[in-house]
Amino acid sequence: MNATVTATFTGANVACVATLDRDRGKAEVRVDGGAPVIVDLYSATLQGRRIVFAANGLAAGQHTIQIRVLGQKHSASSGTRVDVDALLVLQ
């Protein structure tokens, strides 16, 4: 699959907002090319607009966040769907 979204932002804090549900999969999130964080969007019940990843206390200046769909899923999930609803940036 390997669908990727990349965004550049200026701020010290960033968060990714997504929907959790029974058909959701996993994504890899990196900030500034750092160590990957695997986010599992599976939930037994629908949960809209949840913060699923946050990086706080970043150095002042410009940063890049990358979210990559892994095409993987939780064992109870019926699919690998990944939606990014929003990125939140705070100075």
Side-chain angles (χ1 to χ4, degrees):
M1 182 160 261
N2 264 351
T4 303
V5 62
T6 302
T8 302
F9 64 95
T10 301
N13 308 286
V14 64
C16 177
V17 177
T19 296
L20 307 176
D21 205 357
R22 295 175 302 203
D23 64 345
R24 303 305 160 127
K26 295 181 181 182
E28 175 186 273
V29 182
R30 292 178 186 255
V31 175
D32 296 334
V37 174
I38 305 300
V39 176
D40 187 350
L41 301 177
Y42 169 78
S43 173
T45 58
L46 175 64
Q47 298 180 44
R49 295 180 301 231
R50 300 291 186 213
I51 293 177
V52 297
F53 170 86
N56 298 301
L58 301 172
Q62 194 171 45
H63 301 280
T64 301
I65 185 169
Q66 182 181 63
I67 303 162
R68 183 171 66 94
V69 177
L70 296 175
Q72 301 172 359
K73 65 184 185 97
H74 184 280
S75 61
S77 180
S78 64
T80 59
R81 180 176 173 163
V82 172
D83 294 331
V84 176
D85 296 331
L87 294 173
L88 308 175
V89 177
L90 298 172
Q91 298 294 339

